[in-house]
Structures are given as C-alpha cells and as structure tokens.
Amino acid sequence: MKVKQVDEGKISKYILKFTFEDWENIIDSDVIIVGAGPSGMTAAYYLAKAGLKTVLFERRLSFGGGIGGGAMLFHKIIIESPADEILKELGIRLVKAEEDVYAVDTAEFMAKLASSAIDAGAKFIHGITVDDVIFREEPLKVAGVAVEWTATQMSGLHVDPIFISAKAVVDATGHDAEVISVASRKLPELEISIPGEKSAYSEVAEQQVVDGTGKVAPGLYAAGMAVCEIKGLPRMGPIFGAMVLSGKKVADEIINDIRKS
C-alpha cells in the first residue's frame, strides 16, 4: 500500500480553504443551536432533516453534554417512553428495564445522535463559545449570536467576536442557560425572568421540561436543561427522555415559525 504524498504547505492550504468555505456558508443561517448536548443534537437532527440551514456551536472539543458522564461516571443512562421512539429512529439500541423504561449506553447515545444530526446536514463547530446575541428593534427580536474561540476566552485576552445571523437561536447550553442569561441581562426589554433551577424531582420534571420547551422571546428558544433554569423547574438527573423530546419539540416549533414567516 503506497501512501499519497502531501506536503505541509498543501495540508495547511486545504485546511484553510475548506474551513473558510464552511464559515462563509454559516454566516447567514436559518437556525443556530448553542450546545451539543442531547437536546441540542436532537434539535439539530430534526431541523436539518427539514431542510433548514442549521449550525451547532459547542464550546468543548467534543459532543454529548451531560451524556458522557452518565450517572456518577457509570456508562448507562435511562430513557423512558415516548422518547424511545426517537432513539429507535436513530438506530440507538435500548435495553428494557421495565415497561416503557430503557437503559442506554452513553457512548452509543452520543455517537449516533451526533452522527444522525451531521448526516441530516447540520454543521457542528467545536471550540466556540457564544457570548452574546444580536438583536433588532421594531419588531424586537434576537437575530443571531456573537461567537469567540473558547481558547481565547480561557486565555483572558480581549478579542472582539464575529457575528452569525439566524432566524432562530436555540439555547441548549444546559443548567446555566448561558445564552438566555446574557440576553436577559443585556436586553431587559425582552422581559425575560430567570428564577433558577430547583432541586431534583424526576417524576414531574421530565414532563415539565417538555411542556416548558420553546420560544422565550422572538427569535430565541430554550431546550433541555436550560428550560429548568428559566422556568424554575426541578432537575431530573440521569434520565434523558425529556432531553430528546425537548429537542424535537423545539425543532418542530421553529420549523413552524419559520414557515409561517
């Protein structure tokens, strides 16, 4: 087997060429999702599948959010009905624990959820932090995000961001609801109140998260654990049915909103 010879200059040239082609394409997107956890990746799958230009920004150099840690680093999490139907659609194997309750391998869950979203057409960009939103007046709405390299922020350097426009922004950043928190603080006219997440009550929290998923302000949506933070809901721990159901629900709402507009 003879390996193709490629010199260092060409390696760098091709990386830059195709990276900037991607960035030029996503500068004007239909949907921006912030956070590559279970709700964000599920939303990305359904949005891209519907033909919307979808980009997902993740601050870390991996995907999965809280999936990988499982429960106290154990490599299994729990999925309940009807979320199992979404996992079956994505080819993720389930082991029945009891009626309508299943155990799932964390690595398989992360890998197949990400792969499905990417295959559907969503673009994932790692190592990016969203630290602000773009807004417009008359009518008041969120119209995109400001992004910066995570490594730049960690270094403490002051570097201005670049801006990515979108018709919808989804905060899927988890417990801290980072994007919505910034919008609430810097744009009081959006009238967003953030009471904070409550302690665990899994039996009720799963349904409440799904019910609370959706639009927070024009152009700005919440999914997954971010819903707990902004709605004052209990946390639920290593059961992830609400996360994937929340991702699908927010995708359905955005698809409907964009089509109506």
Side-chain angles (χ1 to χ4, degrees):
M1 181 184 297
K2 188 173 181 179
V3 178
K4 169 76 174 182
Q5 294 181 338
V6 186
D7 69 49
E8 294 85 353
K10 284 186 176 180
I11 294 169
S12 298
K13 176 182 176 181
Y14 296 152
I15 288 171
L16 292 172
K17 171 181 168 61
F18 293 108
T19 296
F20 280 98
E21 284 182 4
D22 276 352
W23 276 97
E24 286 183 14
N25 184 51
I26 67 174
I27 288 295
D28 292 301
S29 294
D30 290 321
V31 186
I32 294 167
I33 300 170
V34 188
S39 63
M41 291 195 290
T42 303
Y45 167 72
Y46 285 107
L47 289 161
K49 186 180 178 184
L52 296 177
K53 186 192 293 187
T54 303
V55 59
L56 190 155
F57 292 118
E58 167 57 47
R59 67 166 50 190
R60 297 188 293 183
L61 301 180
S62 60
F63 43 69
I67 299 172
M72 211 177 72
L73 299 181
F74 296 128
H75 68 283
K76 299 290 182 181
I77 53 92
I78 300 302
I79 292 286
E80 76 279 33
S81 176
D84 60 302
E85 295 301 322
I86 295 175
L87 273 68
K88 290 172 185 174
E89 179 181 343
L90 304 180
I92 300 169
R93 291 170 292 186
L94 302 135
V95 177
K96 187 174 180 179
E98 62 176 76
E99 193 64 32
D100 295 327
V101 179
Y102 306 87
V104 179
D105 186 271
T106 55
E108 181 177 1
F109 187 22
M110 287 190 295
K112 290 185 176 178
L113 187 50
S115 177
S116 297
I118 292 166
D119 287 346
K123 175 62 66 176
F124 283 44
I125 308 288
H126 289 109
I128 296 291
T129 294
V130 171
D131 66 1
D132 205 349
V133 299
I134 304 168
F135 78 102
R136 293 291 181 265
E137 298 173 315
E138 297 179 359
L140 179 65
K141 65 178 180 178
V142 171
V145 298
V147 301
E148 184 56 88
W149 303 116
T150 302
T152 301
Q153 289 206 334
M154 291 175 67
S155 73
L157 294 173
H158 175 76
V159 178
D160 280 330
I162 63 171
F163 301 108
I164 313 293
S165 298
K167 299 169 185 172
V169 174
V170 180
D171 187 334
T173 61
H175 297 270
D176 295 327
E178 295 171 13
V179 179
I180 294 171
S181 294
V182 169
S184 172
R185 185 178 74 252
K186 299 180 79 170
L187 296 170
E189 56 266 47
L190 290 175
E191 298 181 347
I192 299 172
S193 174
I194 302 182
E197 178 186 280
K198 291 183 178 179
S199 296
Y201 193 169
S202 301
E203 295 94 322
V204 302
E206 287 286 280
Q207 185 64 57
Q208 289 179 351
V209 166
V210 177
D211 292 343
T213 293
K215 187 183 296 182
V216 177
L220 182 60
Y221 300 76
M225 291 306 298
V227 177
C228 293
E229 179 72 5
I230 67 167
K231 298 285 187 178
L233 304 180
R235 64 183 301 175
M236 66 286 283
I239 180 166
F240 281 72
M243 298 298 98
V244 293
L245 292 169
S246 176
K248 185 176 189 307
K249 183 182 178 185
V250 80
D252 290 342
E253 184 172 339
I254 291 169
I255 291 164
N256 185 56
D257 287 349
I258 290 177
R259 286 175 177 168
K260 283 195 302 184
S261 66

PDB file of all heavy atoms in Angstrom, residues 33-63:
ATOM      1  N   ILE A  33     -27.879  26.619  17.003  1.00  0.00           N
ATOM      2  CA  ILE A  33     -28.071  25.888  18.253  1.00  0.00           C
ATOM      3  C   ILE A  33     -26.794  26.034  19.059  1.00  0.00           C
ATOM      4  O   ILE A  33     -25.693  25.845  18.533  1.00  0.00           O
ATOM      5  CB  ILE A  33     -28.370  24.404  17.998  1.00  0.00           C
ATOM      6  CG1 ILE A  33     -29.644  24.256  17.157  1.00  0.00           C
ATOM      7  CG2 ILE A  33     -28.503  23.645  19.319  1.00  0.00           C
ATOM      8  CD1 ILE A  33     -29.887  22.856  16.660  1.00  0.00           C
ATOM      9  N   VAL A  34     -26.924  26.362  20.327  1.00  0.00           N
ATOM     10  CA  VAL A  34     -25.762  26.532  21.194  1.00  0.00           C
ATOM     11  C   VAL A  34     -25.760  25.397  22.214  1.00  0.00           C
ATOM     12  O   VAL A  34     -26.636  25.327  23.068  1.00  0.00           O
ATOM     13  CB  VAL A  34     -25.773  27.899  21.903  1.00  0.00           C
ATOM     14  CG1 VAL A  34     -24.444  28.116  22.628  1.00  0.00           C
ATOM     15  CG2 VAL A  34     -26.036  29.019  20.919  1.00  0.00           C
ATOM     16  N   GLY A  35     -24.796  24.498  22.073  1.00  0.00           N
ATOM     17  CA  GLY A  35     -24.674  23.374  22.987  1.00  0.00           C
ATOM     18  C   GLY A  35     -24.958  22.047  22.319  1.00  0.00           C
ATOM     19  O   GLY A  35     -26.065  21.817  21.824  1.00  0.00           O
ATOM     20  N   ALA A  36     -23.946  21.164  22.293  1.00  0.00           N
ATOM     21  CA  ALA A  36     -24.072  19.858  21.641  1.00  0.00           C
ATOM     22  C   ALA A  36     -24.394  18.763  22.639  1.00  0.00           C
ATOM     23  O   ALA A  36     -23.779  17.694  22.642  1.00  0.00           O
ATOM     24  CB  ALA A  36     -22.787  19.529  20.878  1.00  0.00           C
ATOM     25  N   GLY A  37     -25.364  19.040  23.510  1.00  0.00           N
ATOM     26  CA  GLY A  37     -25.890  18.020  24.402  1.00  0.00           C
ATOM     27  C   GLY A  37     -27.041  17.295  23.733  1.00  0.00           C
ATOM     28  O   GLY A  37     -27.298  17.466  22.538  1.00  0.00           O
ATOM     29  N   PRO A  38     -27.776  16.475  24.480  1.00  0.00           N
ATOM     30  CA  PRO A  38     -28.838  15.670  23.863  1.00  0.00           C
ATOM     31  C   PRO A  38     -29.962  16.483  23.240  1.00  0.00           C
ATOM     32  O   PRO A  38     -30.431  16.153  22.143  1.00  0.00           O
ATOM     33  CB  PRO A  38     -29.351  14.814  25.029  1.00  0.00           C
ATOM     34  CG  PRO A  38     -28.910  15.535  26.266  1.00  0.00           C
ATOM     35  CD  PRO A  38     -27.614  16.189  25.909  1.00  0.00           C
ATOM     36  N   SER A  39     -30.396  17.555  23.891  1.00  0.00           N
ATOM     37  CA  SER A  39     -31.479  18.348  23.302  1.00  0.00           C
ATOM     38  C   SER A  39     -30.995  19.113  22.078  1.00  0.00           C
ATOM     39  O   SER A  39     -31.694  19.190  21.061  1.00  0.00           O
ATOM     40  CB  SER A  39     -32.068  19.313  24.336  1.00  0.00           C
ATOM     41  OG  SER A  39     -31.109  20.260  24.767  1.00  0.00           O
ATOM     42  N   GLY A  40     -29.784  19.672  22.154  1.00  0.00           N
ATOM     43  CA  GLY A  40     -29.248  20.421  21.024  1.00  0.00           C
ATOM     44  C   GLY A  40     -29.032  19.551  19.808  1.00  0.00           C
ATOM     45  O   GLY A  40     -29.364  19.936  18.679  1.00  0.00           O
ATOM     46  N   MET A  41     -28.469  18.366  20.001  1.00  0.00           N
ATOM     47  CA  MET A  41     -28.217  17.486  18.859  1.00  0.00           C
ATOM     48  C   MET A  41     -29.512  16.914  18.284  1.00  0.00           C
ATOM     49  O   MET A  41     -29.626  16.732  17.076  1.00  0.00           O
ATOM     50  CB  MET A  41     -27.253  16.374  19.258  1.00  0.00           C
ATOM     51  CG  MET A  41     -25.838  16.868  19.514  1.00  0.00           C
ATOM     52  SD  MET A  41     -24.600  15.554  19.559  1.00  0.00           S
ATOM     53  CE  MET A  41     -25.023  14.717  21.093  1.00  0.00           C
ATOM     54  N   THR A  42     -30.485  16.627  19.151  1.00  0.00           N
ATOM     55  CA  THR A  42     -31.782  16.157  18.638  1.00  0.00           C
ATOM     56  C   THR A  42     -32.447  17.250  17.809  1.00  0.00           C
ATOM     57  O   THR A  42     -32.962  16.990  16.715  1.00  0.00           O
ATOM     58  CB  THR A  42     -32.707  15.746  19.792  1.00  0.00           C
ATOM     59  OG1 THR A  42     -32.077  14.738  20.574  1.00  0.00           O
ATOM     60  CG2 THR A  42     -34.029  15.213  19.261  1.00  0.00           C
ATOM     61  N   ALA A  43     -32.430  18.474  18.322  1.00  0.00           N
ATOM     62  CA  ALA A  43     -32.990  19.593  17.556  1.00  0.00           C
ATOM     63  C   ALA A  43     -32.268  19.754  16.226  1.00  0.00           C
ATOM     64  O   ALA A  43     -32.905  19.972  15.182  1.00  0.00           O
ATOM     65  CB  ALA A  43     -32.901  20.882  18.372  1.00  0.00           C
ATOM     66  N   ALA A  44     -30.936  19.648  16.241  1.00  0.00           N
ATOM     67  CA  ALA A  44     -30.161  19.790  15.010  1.00  0.00           C
ATOM     68  C   ALA A  44     -30.564  18.744  13.986  1.00  0.00           C
ATOM     69  O   ALA A  44     -30.678  19.034  12.781  1.00  0.00           O
ATOM     70  CB  ALA A  44     -28.670  19.679  15.319  1.00  0.00           C
ATOM     71  N   TYR A  45     -30.789  17.525  14.442  1.00  0.00           N
ATOM     72  CA  TYR A  45     -31.197  16.449  13.536  1.00  0.00           C
ATOM     73  C   TYR A  45     -32.519  16.781  12.844  1.00  0.00           C
ATOM     74  O   TYR A  45     -32.626  16.720  11.610  1.00  0.00           O
ATOM     75  CB  TYR A  45     -31.327  15.139  14.313  1.00  0.00           C
ATOM     76  CG  TYR A  45     -32.037  14.036  13.564  1.00  0.00           C
ATOM     77  CD1 TYR A  45     -31.427  13.393  12.486  1.00  0.00           C
ATOM     78  CD2 TYR A  45     -33.321  13.638  13.920  1.00  0.00           C
ATOM     79  CE1 TYR A  45     -32.086  12.386  11.792  1.00  0.00           C
ATOM     80  CE2 TYR A  45     -33.981  12.627  13.240  1.00  0.00           C
ATOM     81  CZ  TYR A  45     -33.363  12.001  12.170  1.00  0.00           C
ATOM     82  OH  TYR A  45     -34.017  11.004  11.481  1.00  0.00           O
ATOM     83  N   TYR A  46     -33.525  17.164  13.615  1.00  0.00           N
ATOM     84  CA  TYR A  46     -34.848  17.408  13.026  1.00  0.00           C
ATOM     85  C   TYR A  46     -34.879  18.696  12.196  1.00  0.00           C
ATOM     86  O   TYR A  46     -35.562  18.754  11.168  1.00  0.00           O
ATOM     87  CB  TYR A  46     -35.914  17.419  14.113  1.00  0.00           C
ATOM     88  CG  TYR A  46     -36.245  16.026  14.607  1.00  0.00           C
ATOM     89  CD1 TYR A  46     -35.818  15.586  15.850  1.00  0.00           C
ATOM     90  CD2 TYR A  46     -36.969  15.150  13.809  1.00  0.00           C
ATOM     91  CE1 TYR A  46     -36.095  14.301  16.298  1.00  0.00           C
ATOM     92  CE2 TYR A  46     -37.259  13.859  14.241  1.00  0.00           C
ATOM     93  CZ  TYR A  46     -36.824  13.438  15.483  1.00  0.00           C
ATOM     94  OH  TYR A  46     -37.091  12.156  15.905  1.00  0.00           O
ATOM     95  N   LEU A  47     -34.149  19.706  12.615  1.00  0.00           N
ATOM     96  CA  LEU A  47     -34.112  20.955  11.846  1.00  0.00           C
ATOM     97  C   LEU A  47     -33.411  20.757  10.506  1.00  0.00           C
ATOM     98  O   LEU A  47     -33.899  21.206   9.462  1.00  0.00           O
ATOM     99  CB  LEU A  47     -33.417  22.042  12.660  1.00  0.00           C
ATOM    100  CG  LEU A  47     -34.208  22.574  13.852  1.00  0.00           C
ATOM    101  CD1 LEU A  47     -33.285  23.281  14.838  1.00  0.00           C
ATOM    102  CD2 LEU A  47     -35.318  23.514  13.392  1.00  0.00           C
ATOM    103  N   ALA A  48     -32.270  20.096  10.533  1.00  0.00           N
ATOM    104  CA  ALA A  48     -31.549  19.846   9.284  1.00  0.00           C
ATOM    105  C   ALA A  48     -32.334  18.910   8.376  1.00  0.00           C
ATOM    106  O   ALA A  48     -32.366  19.095   7.149  1.00  0.00           O
ATOM    107  CB  ALA A  48     -30.173  19.266   9.586  1.00  0.00           C
ATOM    108  N   LYS A  49     -32.970  17.927   8.974  1.00  0.00           N
ATOM    109  CA  LYS A  49     -33.784  16.991   8.202  1.00  0.00           C
ATOM    110  C   LYS A  49     -34.919  17.712   7.477  1.00  0.00           C
ATOM    111  O   LYS A  49     -35.330  17.312   6.375  1.00  0.00           O
ATOM    112  CB  LYS A  49     -34.344  15.920   9.143  1.00  0.00           C
ATOM    113  CG  LYS A  49     -35.103  14.799   8.461  1.00  0.00           C
ATOM    114  CD  LYS A  49     -35.610  13.789   9.491  1.00  0.00           C
ATOM    115  CE  LYS A  49     -36.414  12.690   8.828  1.00  0.00           C
ATOM    116  NZ  LYS A  49     -36.987  11.743   9.834  1.00  0.00           N
ATOM    117  N   ALA A  50     -35.416  18.801   8.076  1.00  0.00           N
ATOM    118  CA  ALA A  50     -36.483  19.598   7.464  1.00  0.00           C
ATOM    119  C   ALA A  50     -35.956  20.558   6.400  1.00  0.00           C
ATOM    120  O   ALA A  50     -36.730  21.312   5.808  1.00  0.00           O
ATOM    121  CB  ALA A  50     -37.229  20.376   8.541  1.00  0.00           C
ATOM    122  N   GLY A  51     -34.642  20.572   6.185  1.00  0.00           N
ATOM    123  CA  GLY A  51     -34.062  21.405   5.139  1.00  0.00           C
ATOM    124  C   GLY A  51     -33.607  22.771   5.588  1.00  0.00           C
ATOM    125  O   GLY A  51     -33.246  23.599   4.741  1.00  0.00           O
ATOM    126  N   LEU A  52     -33.585  23.028   6.887  1.00  0.00           N
ATOM    127  CA  LEU A  52     -33.131  24.317   7.384  1.00  0.00           C
ATOM    128  C   LEU A  52     -31.614  24.307   7.573  1.00  0.00           C
ATOM    129  O   LEU A  52     -31.043  23.321   8.059  1.00  0.00           O
ATOM    130  CB  LEU A  52     -33.811  24.657   8.705  1.00  0.00           C
ATOM    131  CG  LEU A  52     -35.335  24.844   8.638  1.00  0.00           C
ATOM    132  CD1 LEU A  52     -35.906  25.113  10.025  1.00  0.00           C
ATOM    133  CD2 LEU A  52     -35.703  25.964   7.691  1.00  0.00           C
ATOM    134  N   LYS A  53     -30.965  25.408   7.200  1.00  0.00           N
ATOM    135  CA  LYS A  53     -29.516  25.532   7.380  1.00  0.00           C
ATOM    136  C   LYS A  53     -29.247  25.686   8.877  1.00  0.00           C
ATOM    137  O   LYS A  53     -29.556  26.719   9.476  1.00  0.00           O
ATOM    138  CB  LYS A  53     -28.961  26.722   6.615  1.00  0.00           C
ATOM    139  CG  LYS A  53     -27.430  26.804   6.649  1.00  0.00           C
ATOM    140  CD  LYS A  53     -26.913  28.121   6.145  1.00  0.00           C
ATOM    141  CE  LYS A  53     -27.177  28.328   4.671  1.00  0.00           C
ATOM    142  NZ  LYS A  53     -26.486  29.574   4.188  1.00  0.00           N
ATOM    143  N   THR A  54     -28.661  24.651   9.460  1.00  0.00           N
ATOM    144  CA  THR A  54     -28.534  24.556  10.907  1.00  0.00           C
ATOM    145  C   THR A  54     -27.070  24.430  11.299  1.00  0.00           C
ATOM    146  O   THR A  54     -26.362  23.552  10.808  1.00  0.00           O
ATOM    147  CB  THR A  54     -29.307  23.326  11.432  1.00  0.00           C
ATOM    148  OG1 THR A  54     -30.673  23.422  11.021  1.00  0.00           O
ATOM    149  CG2 THR A  54     -29.227  23.228  12.947  1.00  0.00           C
ATOM    150  N   VAL A  55     -26.619  25.301  12.194  1.00  0.00           N
ATOM    151  CA  VAL A  55     -25.257  25.216  12.721  1.00  0.00           C
ATOM    152  C   VAL A  55     -25.319  25.080  14.232  1.00  0.00           C
ATOM    153  O   VAL A  55     -26.127  25.734  14.894  1.00  0.00           O
ATOM    154  CB  VAL A  55     -24.402  26.438  12.310  1.00  0.00           C
ATOM    155  CG1 VAL A  55     -25.007  27.736  12.801  1.00  0.00           C
ATOM    156  CG2 VAL A  55     -22.972  26.303  12.826  1.00  0.00           C
ATOM    157  N   LEU A  56     -24.503  24.184  14.763  1.00  0.00           N
ATOM    158  CA  LEU A  56     -24.459  23.939  16.196  1.00  0.00           C
ATOM    159  C   LEU A  56     -23.072  24.301  16.709  1.00  0.00           C
ATOM    160  O   LEU A  56     -22.070  23.762  16.236  1.00  0.00           O
ATOM    161  CB  LEU A  56     -24.785  22.470  16.487  1.00  0.00           C
ATOM    162  CG  LEU A  56     -25.003  22.094  17.952  1.00  0.00           C
ATOM    163  CD1 LEU A  56     -25.890  20.854  18.048  1.00  0.00           C
ATOM    164  CD2 LEU A  56     -23.697  21.834  18.672  1.00  0.00           C
ATOM    165  N   PHE A  57     -23.019  25.231  17.661  1.00  0.00           N
ATOM    166  CA  PHE A  57     -21.761  25.649  18.271  1.00  0.00           C
ATOM    167  C   PHE A  57     -21.613  24.976  19.633  1.00  0.00           C
ATOM    168  O   PHE A  57     -22.530  25.013  20.453  1.00  0.00           O
ATOM    169  CB  PHE A  57     -21.708  27.162  18.456  1.00  0.00           C
ATOM    170  CG  PHE A  57     -21.642  27.931  17.169  1.00  0.00           C
ATOM    171  CD1 PHE A  57     -22.654  28.812  16.812  1.00  0.00           C
ATOM    172  CD2 PHE A  57     -20.565  27.780  16.306  1.00  0.00           C
ATOM    173  CE1 PHE A  57     -22.601  29.531  15.626  1.00  0.00           C
ATOM    174  CE2 PHE A  57     -20.495  28.493  15.117  1.00  0.00           C
ATOM    175  CZ  PHE A  57     -21.514  29.367  14.787  1.00  0.00           C
ATOM    176  N   GLU A  58     -20.446  24.386  19.871  1.00  0.00           N
ATOM    177  CA  GLU A  58     -20.149  23.721  21.128  1.00  0.00           C
ATOM    178  C   GLU A  58     -18.820  24.242  21.663  1.00  0.00           C
ATOM    179  O   GLU A  58     -17.825  24.265  20.942  1.00  0.00           O
ATOM    180  CB  GLU A  58     -20.085  22.202  20.914  1.00  0.00           C
ATOM    181  CG  GLU A  58     -19.480  21.405  22.055  1.00  0.00           C
ATOM    182  CD  GLU A  58     -20.178  21.614  23.391  1.00  0.00           C
ATOM    183  OE1 GLU A  58     -21.426  21.557  23.447  1.00  0.00           O
ATOM    184  OE2 GLU A  58     -19.456  21.851  24.396  1.00  0.00           O
ATOM    185  N   ARG A  59     -18.801  24.664  22.912  1.00  0.00           N
ATOM    186  CA  ARG A  59     -17.598  25.273  23.482  1.00  0.00           C
ATOM    187  C   ARG A  59     -16.470  24.265  23.677  1.00  0.00           C
ATOM    188  O   ARG A  59     -15.300  24.611  23.643  1.00  0.00           O
ATOM    189  CB  ARG A  59     -17.911  25.967  24.791  1.00  0.00           C
ATOM    190  CG  ARG A  59     -18.308  25.036  25.915  1.00  0.00           C
ATOM    191  CD  ARG A  59     -18.272  25.748  27.265  1.00  0.00           C
ATOM    192  NE  ARG A  59     -18.989  26.998  27.228  1.00  0.00           N
ATOM    193  CZ  ARG A  59     -18.959  27.899  28.209  1.00  0.00           C
ATOM    194  NH1 ARG A  59     -18.240  27.665  29.288  1.00  0.00           N
ATOM    195  NH2 ARG A  59     -19.646  29.006  28.119  1.00  0.00           N
ATOM    196  N   ARG A  60     -16.835  23.013  23.896  1.00  0.00           N
ATOM    197  CA  ARG A  60     -15.806  21.994  24.112  1.00  0.00           C
ATOM    198  C   ARG A  60     -15.376  21.386  22.765  1.00  0.00           C
ATOM    199  O   ARG A  60     -15.918  21.715  21.718  1.00  0.00           O
ATOM    200  CB  ARG A  60     -16.331  20.906  25.045  1.00  0.00           C
ATOM    201  CG  ARG A  60     -16.650  21.459  26.433  1.00  0.00           C
ATOM    202  CD  ARG A  60     -16.979  20.365  27.424  1.00  0.00           C
ATOM    203  NE  ARG A  60     -18.224  19.686  27.098  1.00  0.00           N
ATOM    204  CZ  ARG A  60     -18.762  18.730  27.848  1.00  0.00           C
ATOM    205  NH1 ARG A  60     -18.162  18.338  28.952  1.00  0.00           N
ATOM    206  NH2 ARG A  60     -19.906  18.159  27.500  1.00  0.00           N
ATOM    207  N   LEU A  61     -14.399  20.487  22.819  1.00  0.00           N
ATOM    208  CA  LEU A  61     -13.899  19.836  21.609  1.00  0.00           C
ATOM    209  C   LEU A  61     -14.503  18.453  21.452  1.00  0.00           C
ATOM    210  O   LEU A  61     -13.893  17.543  20.886  1.00  0.00           O
ATOM    211  CB  LEU A  61     -12.361  19.744  21.648  1.00  0.00           C
ATOM    212  CG  LEU A  61     -11.635  21.079  21.771  1.00  0.00           C
ATOM    213  CD1 LEU A  61     -10.122  20.862  21.800  1.00  0.00           C
ATOM    214  CD2 LEU A  61     -12.005  22.021  20.618  1.00  0.00           C
ATOM    215  N   SER A  62     -15.703  18.310  21.930  1.00  0.00           N
ATOM    216  CA  SER A  62     -16.417  17.038  21.863  1.00  0.00           C
ATOM    217  C   SER A  62     -17.906  17.330  21.880  1.00  0.00           C
ATOM    218  O   SER A  62     -18.325  18.479  21.972  1.00  0.00           O
ATOM    219  CB  SER A  62     -16.035  16.151  23.060  1.00  0.00           C
ATOM    220  OG  SER A  62     -16.369  16.811  24.269  1.00  0.00           O
ATOM    221  N   PHE A  63     -18.696  16.289  21.787  1.00  0.00           N
ATOM    222  CA  PHE A  63     -20.140  16.480  21.889  1.00  0.00           C
ATOM    223  C   PHE A  63     -20.721  15.505  22.910  1.00  0.00           C
ATOM    224  O   PHE A  63     -20.067  14.563  23.333  1.00  0.00           O
ATOM    225  CB  PHE A  63     -20.835  16.313  20.529  1.00  0.00           C
ATOM    226  CG  PHE A  63     -20.343  15.153  19.710  1.00  0.00           C
ATOM    227  CD1 PHE A  63     -20.588  13.845  20.071  1.00  0.00           C
ATOM    228  CD2 PHE A  63     -19.618  15.374  18.547  1.00  0.00           C
ATOM    229  CE1 PHE A  63     -20.135  12.786  19.319  1.00  0.00           C
ATOM    230  CE2 PHE A  63     -19.158  14.325  17.773  1.00  0.00           C
ATOM    231  CZ  PHE A  63     -19.417  13.021  18.170  1.00  0.00           C
TER     232      PHE A  63
END
